[in-house]
Amino acid sequence: MKRFLTLVVALCVLMSVCAVANAAASDYTIRIYSNSNSTERVTWLINAAKEAGFTISIDDNSVISGDTAAIQAANENKDGDLIFGLNETRWSQLVGGTYENLKVMDWTPGWVDEVGEYVYPGKAYGLVIQNVLMLYRKDELGTNGQELSFEHWADIVDCGYKWYRQGKVGGTTNSNINSAMLYAFVDPTSPAGGISVDGWKTLWNYCANGFYTGDKYGFDPLNRGDVQVSTFYSSSLYGNIDAAADSSSSPLLGTLEPENWGIVEIADGTYYIAEYLGILERDGRTDEQTETVKAFAEWFGSAETQAAWADEFDSYPCNAAAASMIYDETPAIYTLKNCSLTKVEGTDMNYAEYVAAHSSEWTNIMTNLGFYWADNSAAPAEPDWDNLDWAVLTQAAAQ
C-alpha cells in the first residue's frame, strides 16, 4: 500500500536541497528536454529546482508532446543540457549514437546502486518505472463479474466486448500499446518491419473495430462506461481512480483494492519501460556550468526527490530507496510479467531492443497505411494485405 508521507517527503527534499544548493555555483539556466512534461510536472519541477538553487528551462506538452517530439527537438536545437523521460527504445538509440547532434556525457551519480537494473552504465539511469495496462470493468457496465484473461495483448480483438483504441499513431503511451499488441507477431525474417503480416492485420482490426471516443487516453471512456475494456499508463492510474467520481456518474471504484474494475491477465505480460535521466554534451558549456548540470541531475534522481515526485504524480520510482519511502509493498500493477525484457528468438536482442531497432519502420507502416484514424466515418479502406510493397511502406512517405 502507498504511504501517505507528503509532509515527510517534503522535509526530505528540503534536506536534500541543503545538500546540493552549494553545488549550483553559477546562475546557469539548465536546458531540459523531456516527454514527461505535463503542465503539472513542469510547474512542480521548476519550483522544486528553484528551491534547490537551480534555474531550469523545460517546455510543457503544449510545446513538446511525446518522446519523438522531445528527442527531435533536442537534436534539432542542439541546446540541451539534460534529457529525462523517454524509454528504453529511445535511450538505446540515444546512447548508441542514432541522433546526429546528441551525445550522452559520461556520468555516474551517487545513487547508481539504488536503481538496480535500470542503468545504461556510465550514461543514463532510471527514474520512473512505467508500463501500459489493459483494464476492464467488472460491473453491469462491463463484464458483469466475468474475469478477463488473454494469452496475448492482441486477443482484445476477439474479446467480445467494446474496447477503446487511441486516435493517432504518435505519442509514448500509444507506441507502448502498439509494442504490446505486436509482441505476439514478432518475425525477424518478415520484410514488414520484423512483424508478420498477420500482426498488421490484427492491429488494423484493433483500429477498425475499436472505439475512439475523442479522449486522449483510455481511462475516461472506461470510467464513464462507454467501453468495457481499455488501455492506460500505470503512473496516473491510482490518482485518476481517486478522482474518478468527478467526471462520471458511474465511476471506477477502489484504487489498490479494485471494486468494479480489474487488470486483464495476459500470459505474455505487459510492455514495461523505464524512464531515464542522462546528461548531454553541449558545445560552449563551461566546466563550472557542467558541474551545475551534474549537481541538478544528482539532486533530481536522488531518493528524496524521486520519492517526492512519485508521491505527487502517483508514479513508481526506479530508485528502491525512494520506493520504500512511498509504498509499504509494490502495487499489483508493477508486479506484472514484463515482456520487454524477453529475448527475441533468432536475435541477440530483448524485445525492448527489438522495438528500438524497428520503431521507425513501424511508425512508417502505420502512417503510410493510415492507421488510427480519429473519425470512423472517414476510415480508410483496409489494405490489400497480399499485394503490399513492404520495402516502400517501411520508409517515410515522400514529402
Side-chain angles (χ1 to χ4, degrees):
M1 293 182 65
K2 187 175 180 181
R3 303 176 189 268
F4 294 97
L5 297 180
T6 303
L7 179 59
V8 174
V9 170
L11 291 173
C12 289
V13 173
L14 287 175
M15 292 173 63
S16 74
V17 166
C18 296
V20 301
N22 290 335
S26 75
D27 59 359
Y28 183 66
T29 298
I30 301 168
R31 178 60 173 150
I32 298 172
Y33 285 91
S34 180
N35 62 310
S36 185
N37 62 337
S38 66
T39 300
E40 296 80 10
R41 284 173 167 81
V42 167
T43 299
W44 186 95
L45 185 57
I46 289 173
N47 291 335
K50 184 177 181 180
E51 290 292 326
F54 301 102
T55 302
I56 65 172
S57 169
I58 176 173
D59 297 310
D60 69 16
N61 57 12
S62 68
V63 179
I64 293 175
S65 180
D67 60 342
T68 301
I71 201 77
Q72 287 178 347
N75 189 51
E76 291 170 3
N77 295 335
K78 296 181 284 188
D79 63 349
D81 293 296
L82 183 146
I83 289 182
F84 77 88
L86 311 180
N87 56 43
E88 280 91 348
T89 299
R90 297 298 180 202
W91 276 104
S92 63
Q93 295 171 340
L94 187 57
V95 171
T98 297
Y99 300 96
E100 179 183 6
N101 300 317
L102 299 178
K103 183 178 180 182
V104 183
M105 192 180 79
D106 292 333
W107 167 67
T108 301
W111 38 263
V112 59
D113 293 337
E114 297 173 355
V115 296
E117 65 181 338
Y118 300 107
V119 171
Y120 289 88
K123 296 293 185 180
Y125 306 90
L127 293 179
V128 172
I129 298 171
Q130 185 75 269
N131 59 13
V132 289
L133 306 169
M134 192 178 293
L135 309 171
Y136 71 105
R137 295 189 70 121
K138 293 182 176 182
D139 58 11
E140 67 279 0
L141 295 177
T143 66
N144 281 309
Q146 180 72 34
E147 301 287 332
L148 275 190
S149 61
F150 301 155
E151 183 176 357
H152 312 297
W153 261 71
D155 292 345
I156 190 174
V157 302
D158 298 314
C159 71
Y161 296 102
K162 188 176 180 180
W163 69 83
Y164 165 90
R165 54 89 171 167
Q166 58 266 38
K168 65 176 184 177
V169 171
T172 305
T173 299
N174 293 348
S175 295
N176 294 337
I177 290 169
N178 291 331
S179 296
M181 291 285 296
L182 294 172
Y183 175 73
F185 302 98
V186 165
D187 179 0
T189 68
S190 172
I195 296 295
S196 70
V197 176
D198 281 343
W200 294 114
K201 289 180 181 179
T202 302
L203 194 63
W204 188 272
N205 185 352
Y206 172 69
C207 295
N209 295 308
F211 291 83
Y212 176 60
T213 57
D215 298 283
K216 187 174 182 180
Y217 298 111
F219 179 86
D220 288 331
L222 189 70
N223 187 47
R224 295 191 300 264
D226 296 343
V227 296
Q228 288 82 54
V229 186
S230 194
T231 51
F232 196 52
Y233 57 97
S234 57
S235 66
S236 291
L237 176 62
Y238 294 138
N240 274 259
I241 291 175
D242 281 338
D246 294 343
S247 56
S248 174
S249 59
S250 302
L252 301 183
L253 302 171
T255 50
L256 298 180
E257 297 181 6
E259 297 177 30
N260 61 347
W261 63 276
I263 301 170
V264 180
E265 293 188 11
I266 302 175
D268 284 341
T270 188
Y271 190 75
Y272 276 81
I273 59 105
E275 299 176 359
Y276 290 76
L277 168 69
I279 299 173
L280 296 172
E281 299 279 6
R282 179 174 176 178
D283 290 342
R285 191 173 63 203
T286 67
D287 290 344
E288 181 185 36
Q289 290 167 345
T290 297
E291 289 304 311
T292 297
V293 176
K294 287 182 180 179
F296 171 83
E298 189 78 37
W299 167 80
F300 184 45
S302 68
E304 294 82 6
T305 306
Q306 284 303 299
W309 182 272
D311 189 54
E312 183 72 18
F313 300 113
D314 292 307
S315 59
Y316 193 82
C318 294
N319 191 304
S324 67
M325 294 179 190
I326 300 298
Y327 295 96
D328 289 322
E329 59 188 54
T330 304
I333 61 176
Y334 297 107
T335 63
L336 303 174
K337 181 181 176 181
N338 183 2
C339 70
S340 70
L341 299 182
T342 302
K343 178 76 178 297
V344 175
E345 188 174 348
T347 76
D348 60 356
M349 295 180 281
N350 63 34
Y351 186 54
E353 293 167 334
Y354 191 83
V355 171
H358 293 283
S359 62
S360 62
E361 293 177 308
W362 296 358
T363 297
N364 291 336
I365 288 170
M366 287 185 281
T367 302
N368 287 328
L369 291 178
F371 277 75
Y372 292 118
W373 52 92
D375 182 359
N376 272 343
S377 67
E382 183 170 359
D384 180 2
W385 299 106
D386 294 328
N387 294 289
L388 295 178
D389 187 342
W390 294 105
V392 172
L393 291 172
T394 53
Q395 303 301 311
Q399 298 298 316

